[in-house]
Amino acid sequence: MAMKLPIVTLGIETSCDETAAAIYHSERGLISSTLYSQIDLHKNFGGVVPELASRSQLEKISPIVYEAIQRAQITLDDIDVVAVTNKPGLPGSLLVGICFAKALAWSKNKKLIGINHLEGHAFSACIEYDIPFPYLCLTASGGHTSLYLIKNFGDYQVLGETQDDAAGEAFDKIAKLMNLPYPGGPVIERLAREVDFKDFYYYPRSRHKTLDFSFSGLKTAVLYDLVKKNAYSLSTKTFLQGENEQFKKEVASSLLVCIADIFEQKLGLALQAYPYVKAITFVGGVACNKYIVERLRVFSVAHAIPFFHPSRDYCTDNAAMIAFVGNYKAQQGLFADFTLDINE
Ligand code: KG4
Ligand code: ZN
């Protein structure tokens, strides 16, 4: 049964290494969004360490939720619905958010909704923009790379997804090969910017005609190219060009051009298959990359189709997108019960 308007939704996101909360008001829109990022905790490990991530989630969840409530200038009693990411993600991290959301919903008699994190990303551009349906959404982050046909709120179809690594994962793993810190994407973009954007090493692009992605081959191709250029030792697993900034910049630049080409190729195929779409959105952590965003904007102009791209805070993991999806699910009466878990 649908709820009466207005609805105040608390969104909670703990699927990986961010602890986030947000309040969405069905008439006023997003009224607060808070986040704690664990980047410093994982920086020296080349990726997220699940055990550290879940312990940090437990420490931060309560202050982050209360900060969101305070910033929204409401009280706990004003909240009608608790929407929480319940999949996909690191089990330990997800469980912290779900248990917190259930405890809150149970003790304060709120409605509970489980949100698929990927649905959050897929609609994240709608927080700030009125996007016409149907649209194509390219989601690229550290854990996922998918192409969606979005038909309406809550009504979408997966057209393609990565068969192995995600695009952000490719940035992170290649950065690790070159002894650069986690997360790799921002560092690689910074390096590439210093030599302009040029394809120095021409890494391979898959030319498969499907809408699926694959990035593990790219990582391997870069690895073997580094070995061939005496830049990496397979036996000691060390990068041998530590001081050679120019070389790192050229690898970074080549990588960006390659990934932008792959995204353009897939969007081109999708537009052939679904010529009636009215817009393209590009979301997820990799959509913080200004070069790739610009390439896709130019691509969209060339195809005479509007292009939307969320602000940085809604590209990377956040709870605003979870509260936003929670709000329309609440209006559709799609509530969970207290058996909600991470596998549904
Ligand atoms: O969406 P997100 O915060 O978390 C996941 O759901 O994974 O995305 C994080 C990913 C990381 O892999 C990071 O390297 C990548 O987004 N990323 C970037 C940039 N900023 C973050 N990739 C390319 N260029 C960037 N500027
Ligand atoms: Zn994400």
Side-chain angles (χ1 to χ4, degrees):
M1 192 183 60
M3 286 181 94
K4 277 212 317 252
L5 290 171
I7 303 168
V8 178
T9 302
L10 163 67
I12 296 178
E13 157 63 39
T14 66
S15 66
C16 190
D17 58 339
E18 267 95 19
T19 312
I23 309 284
Y24 195 93
H25 187 285
S26 56
E27 288 170 358
R28 292 164 56 201
L30 184 71
I31 48 177
S32 75
S33 183
T34 56
L35 178 134
Y36 172 78
S37 168
Q38 304 174 5
I39 280 183
D40 285 343
L41 199 61
H42 305 287
K43 194 162 66 190
N44 297 325
F45 296 97
V48 177
V49 182
E51 173 75 16
L52 296 181
S54 52
R55 284 168 188 253
S56 171
Q57 295 285 5
L58 199 54
E59 195 186 314
K60 298 294 180 197
I61 182 82
S62 186
I64 284 292
V65 168
Y66 277 91
E67 196 186 330
I69 293 170
Q70 268 179 349
R71 283 201 199 172
Q73 298 185 323
I74 60 167
T75 67
L76 204 47
D77 291 334
D78 297 320
I79 293 169
D80 302 298
V81 177
V82 183
V84 60
T85 303
N86 74 312
K87 66 180 175 188
L90 298 173
S93 288
L94 283 168
L95 287 172
V96 172
I98 294 177
C99 289
F100 191 91
K102 279 188 187 181
L104 205 57
W106 186 79
S107 61
K108 291 287 188 178
N109 204 22
K110 316 288 185 197
K111 297 284 190 188
L112 180 70
I113 303 185
I115 307 288
N116 182 328
H117 179 84
L118 298 177
E119 184 168 341
H121 277 300
F123 289 88
S124 59
C126 301
I127 299 171
E128 298 163 285
Y129 303 104
D130 205 1
I131 304 176
F133 296 115
Y135 67 84
L136 285 176
C137 172
L138 174 60
T139 303
S141 66
H144 9 264
T145 298
S146 318
L147 192 56
Y148 300 97
L149 176 64
I150 311 280
K151 301 170 189 169
N152 208 329
F153 292 117
D155 183 7
Y156 58 98
Q157 183 186 338
V158 181
L159 301 179
E161 52 196 346
T162 184
Q163 300 301 295
D164 38 58
D165 290 351
E169 202 175 351
F171 278 112
D172 297 339
K173 287 181 172 171
I174 292 167
K176 194 175 178 187
L177 287 180
M178 293 197 288
N179 226 4
L180 298 168
Y182 170 85
V187 192
I188 287 184
E189 179 174 19
R190 226 170 13 251
L191 286 169
R193 212 156 268 291
E194 290 175 31
V195 283
D196 286 336
F197 293 97
K198 193 172 146 208
D199 207 350
F200 293 92
Y201 299 122
Y202 201 78
Y203 299 129
R205 287 91 167 121
S206 144
R207 290 289 164 198
H208 291 307
K209 295 283 180 211
T210 74
L211 295 176
D212 286 329
F213 299 85
S214 166
F215 290 100
S216 72
L218 173 61
K219 184 204 68 189
T220 310
V222 173
L223 171 66
Y224 282 102
D225 195 52
L226 293 180
V227 170
K228 206 169 83 192
K229 293 185 166 70
N230 293 322
Y232 190 85
S233 160
L234 279 175
S235 54
T236 60
K237 293 197 167 58
T238 41
F239 184 62
L240 307 170
Q241 299 279 330
E243 305 304 315
N244 190 344
E245 288 297 310
Q246 178 63 21
F247 180 71
K248 285 188 262 185
K249 290 172 190 171
E250 291 176 5
V251 172
S253 170
S254 308
L255 190 61
L256 279 192
V257 178
C258 177
I259 290 184
D261 281 355
I262 293 169
F263 286 164
E264 269 189 5
Q265 188 234 354
K266 295 297 176 187
L267 285 171
L269 288 173
L271 284 180
Q272 277 169 21
Y274 305 92
Y276 51 83
V277 294
K278 297 190 178 125
I280 292 176
T281 67
F282 178 39
V283 302
V286 178
C288 292
N289 191 294
K290 293 200 178 80
Y291 168 76
I292 302 180
V293 168
E294 210 33 52
R295 284 277 307 269
L296 298 187
R297 196 186 300 284
V298 170
F299 168 91
S300 303
V301 169
H303 288 79
I305 189 157
F307 177 75
F308 296 92
H309 162 251
S311 310
R312 192 181 186 84
D313 286 353
Y314 309 136
C315 282
T316 49
D317 285 352
N318 66 86
M321 65 187 191
I322 303 304
F324 179 86
V325 172
N327 170 67
Y328 68 65
K329 288 205 184 297
Q331 292 185 37
Q332 295 163 357
L334 299 173
F335 303 110
D337 61 29
F338 286 99
T339 62
L340 180 73
D341 76 14
I342 62 176
N343 299 318
E344 298 168 16

